[in-house]
Each structure stands twice: as C-alpha cells, then as structure tokens.
Amino acid sequence: MSATKIKNSPLAADPTQNVNIVSIRSIIAPGQLQRLIPSTEVARQTVLTGRQDIRRVLRGDDKRLLIVIGPCSVHDVQAAGEYARRLAGVQQQVKDKFLIVMRVYFEKPRTIVGWKGLINDPHIDGSFDMDFGLKQARELMLTINELNLPCGTEFLDPIIPQYLDDLVSWAAIGARTTESQTHRQMASGLSMPVGYKNSTDGSVQIAIDALKAARSGHHFLGIDEAGLTCIVQTRGNPDGHIILRGGSDQTNFDPKNVAKSAAKLAAAQLSSRLMVDCSHANSSKRHENQRMVWQSVIEQRANPDCPIMGVMIESNLIEGQQVIPADPRELKYGVSITDACIGWETTEQMLLEGARRL
C-alpha cells in the first residue's frame, strides 16, 4: 500500500494540521475486498436464515435459546476454523433447543492500550497490516458461514461493517461504546439484529437508550463501497435487544436483576426480551464462573415467562488465556490472548447438558 509521509515539524507547509500524524496509508476499498473474496450461495443462505431465526427469537416466535459463543477474540484463524467445525457438530445435536451463533470478534476495545484485534494487527507484531487483517477476517467468516454456522461480531470502527456485514447474522455494540452517538447511528443502519451491552458501570438505562436511538433513522458521515466519504441515511434498525453483562464488580444475571431490567424495557415501550452475558462482570472476570451463570439462565428459563432469550459465552479450544510473547510464533495454539475463556470440553458439556435440561 502507498503511504503519504507527513512532515511533523514547524517547517511543514501548513503547521495547523496533521501535526501528530506520522503517515497516512491507503487501504483496499470495501467493494474491492468483496470482489476479491466474494460470498457464496451457501454462506448467503446461512446469513439470511440466521438473521431471520434471530429475529424470530427476539419476537418470541422461536422458543429456542439464542447462544452467541466463541473466543473472546480471534487471533489465529486456523484455531478459529477448528473451533467452528467442532461447534457446527454440536449445533446439530442441540438445534431443537438452541440457536447457536459463533462469536467471531475481530476488534477489541481497550481500556487504555493493548492489542486491538485481528483487523488492526493481524501479525501481532506492531506492523498493523490492516489490508491483510481485513482479508483474513472476511475469509474466516466465509468459511464459518459455509459450515451453516451463523457469525456474530462486535462492530467497533464504524467503517468495518462495509467490509464484512454481508457475512454477519448478529452484531454487538460493546459496553464502552453503547453510549456513543457514532455507534448508535451505525447500528441504525446495520442489516442484522444488534445487541447493546449495559455500560461498564452497570447502567442498563444506557443500553435501553441506545436501543431506542438505533430504532430511529439517522444521517451521518461514512464511506461507500468504493471507499469514498459520503452522507449515509438510515431507516433505523428495529431488531435490537440489551445484553446484561454486569458492571462495577456487580452481577446482574440473577432473577431479581433480570426482572428489573425487563420492567425498565417495558416502561420504555420496548420488548422485555434480553440476553445475559455469562462473562465479564457477571463472572467476576473468572472464566470458570461462566458455567455458574449458564446454570442460572437454564434454571430461569424453566419459567415460561422468563424474559431471557439469549446468552453470550466466551469459549475457546483450550481454557484460560496467555500473555502475548515477544515472538508471536511462541503463542500457544487455541488459547485466548485477551479475556480468559472456558475450554472446549467444558463448552461441549454445558451445551449438551443445557439442552437436556430444557
């Protein structure tokens, strides 16, 4: 890719702009990437069916429990592909009780600094080869959809949906961005159902406000398939829900908090159906506690009036997490480099046992 070098000195032609910019590099346009890695009929049908099924779950027409499950973040596409094949196999065993969507997260919001995800730095070495990251992301999502396994992801950078949204069945707006006007506007134009997490301090009202804002149409700056800056007009996205993830070291997955959140949704004249995140503050940031949250959700679902329609689970091939080594080649296969995850054996047990109990 070509790069424009920016002179960062008082001698620059115009010292009023680009003072802290080192370089600006061009990148592949969304339309170019889609032509380079086109969707297939199988993948297209998986996406359309996945979105339709999720909408039915949101309305209550499909009584299955929606499960968004997979690695905290994808850093190794080979390991993610293996995980997808295993999950697709389990999906066939539990499809009458669960609607499974694989969590395929390529962007990671950081509280301060850190690795920002496969798209941002695919080689995990500070080279920031984003063209390669976008290509890997699209290829992986295509592979997963061809297994008849829908994909779910968090959209962080508002430009990214133009590259990937035709392969996504469900999207999330994270706890750090739910209050952002930019992300609410973006969500209003997304083609798939969207979940909005409560804020990191535990506020559910912020997620409810985001849900309402994204249901309205908006005008904002964005890019088109050619990568040109444009004014985007949206019609609003009616297919949304909130996600309870706890906050400020407090959980909110218990029946009392679930009922309280459902009541707030009803008061806002919104559907009271919601999702529970088994990880993050709800697990006290201990990956093994996700099983406890999962068991609580299964117990609550025994009540036909339970408003919980879905769960999120952070799961990988091998449990735990690892610190990124100086040499990325020393990374352990199948182990998260962001939040700790439960391993595959526990994952399979939870899904099969949960299906039997329901």
Side-chain angles (χ1 to χ4, degrees):
M1 291 290 103
S2 61
T4 300
K5 293 294 184 180
I6 305 297
K7 292 183 178 180
N8 188 14
S9 75
L11 299 179
D14 186 349
T16 64
Q17 63 179 345
N18 294 325
V19 174
N20 292 317
I21 303 299
V22 175
S23 68
I24 298 175
R25 291 181 287 174
S26 60
I27 195 168
I28 191 169
Q32 287 179 290
L33 183 63
Q34 290 177 1
R35 289 190 292 275
L36 181 67
I37 307 170
S39 185
T40 63
E41 185 55 37
V42 172
R44 177 181 170 82
Q45 192 57 53
T46 298
V47 172
L48 293 175
T49 300
R51 291 175 182 175
Q52 181 181 17
D53 288 347
I54 294 168
R55 292 185 182 107
R56 284 173 49 79
V57 169
L58 288 175
R59 293 194 303 264
D61 297 332
D62 188 329
K63 303 303 181 182
R64 289 179 295 173
L65 182 67
L66 171 62
I67 301 177
V68 180
I69 186 169
C72 171
S73 61
V74 172
H75 71 275
D76 180 341
V77 295
Q78 181 180 349
E82 180 180 342
Y83 182 97
R85 290 188 291 274
R86 293 188 187 187
L87 187 61
V90 174
Q91 177 193 43
Q92 293 303 310
Q93 300 178 61
V94 300
K95 62 183 180 181
D96 293 338
K97 300 294 180 65
F98 299 145
L99 171 57
I100 293 181
V101 173
M102 181 167 164
R103 176 187 170 108
V104 193
Y105 278 34
F106 300 123
E107 303 178 86
K108 293 303 297 181
R110 314 310 305 191
T111 302
I112 302 177
V113 293
W115 183 70
K116 296 178 183 177
L118 185 88
I119 290 176
N120 183 269
D121 188 13
H123 306 301
I124 323 177
D125 60 0
S127 59
F128 306 106
D129 187 357
M130 296 184 198
D131 270 285
F132 185 73
L134 285 166
K135 291 173 184 175
Q136 277 207 317
R138 188 165 175 84
E139 287 173 346
L140 177 61
M141 279 194 161
L142 181 59
T143 296
I144 294 171
N145 277 296
E146 288 183 328
L147 294 172
N148 295 309
L149 186 61
C151 293
T153 195
E154 176 180 346
F155 284 125
L156 181 61
D157 190 312
I159 291 175
I160 297 301
Q162 291 285 39
Y163 290 91
L164 302 177
D165 67 347
D166 63 314
L167 297 174
V168 178
S169 293
W170 177 90
I173 305 299
R176 295 173 180 82
T177 47
T178 295
E179 196 170 8
S180 160
Q181 175 174 291
T182 297
H183 291 82
R184 293 175 178 186
Q185 291 173 164
M186 175 187 70
S188 75
L190 292 177
S191 303
M192 71 292 298
V194 179
Y196 306 87
K197 285 196 173 184
N198 66 246
S199 62
T200 54
D201 67 1
S203 171
V204 174
Q205 187 59 49
I206 287 174
I208 293 174
D209 291 345
L211 175 54
K212 293 179 69 176
R215 290 169 67 90
S216 299
H218 293 273
H219 292 75
F220 54 92
L221 292 176
I223 64 168
D224 62 14
E225 290 189 354
L228 298 175
T229 304
C230 56
I231 299 172
V232 179
Q233 178 183 357
T234 67
R235 69 175 77 252
N237 188 344
D239 303 312
H241 62 87
I242 69 169
I243 305 171
L244 302 182
R245 49 89 73 195
S248 298
D249 299 321
Q250 298 291 323
T251 64
N252 59 7
F253 65 86
D254 58 281
K256 182 178 179 180
N257 273 296
V258 167
K260 185 177 179 181
S261 296
K264 285 185 176 181
L265 284 162
Q269 297 183 318
L270 297 167
S271 169
S272 61
R273 296 176 66 75
L274 52 81
M275 178 177 281
V276 167
D277 182 356
C278 294
S279 187
H280 299 96
N282 273 339
S283 66
S284 301
K285 297 183 179 180
R286 295 180 62 87
H287 64 280
E288 62 270 22
N289 287 346
Q290 289 189 84
R291 188 165 200 160
M292 173 189 65
V293 183
W294 165 256
Q295 291 171 344
S296 174
V297 169
I298 296 299
E299 291 172 1
Q300 292 180 62
R301 287 272 298 186
N303 180 348
D305 296 323
C306 175
I308 299 174
M309 61 80 193
V311 297
M312 294 188 72
I313 301 171
E314 291 189 335
S315 159
N316 214 322
L317 294 175
I318 301 174
E319 72 170 345
Q321 60 94 222
Q322 61 184 318
V323 176
I324 299 175
D327 184 350
R329 291 174 298 182
E330 296 177 359
L331 285 166
K332 299 174 183 177
Y333 181 77
V335 182
S336 174
I337 63 172
T338 48
D339 290 350
C341 300
I342 59 172
W344 178 254
E345 183 177 342
T346 299
T347 299
E348 188 174 36
Q349 290 174 354
M350 285 170 56
L351 293 174
L352 296 177
E353 290 173 3
R356 283 195 292 270
R357 290 179 61 185
L358 292 176

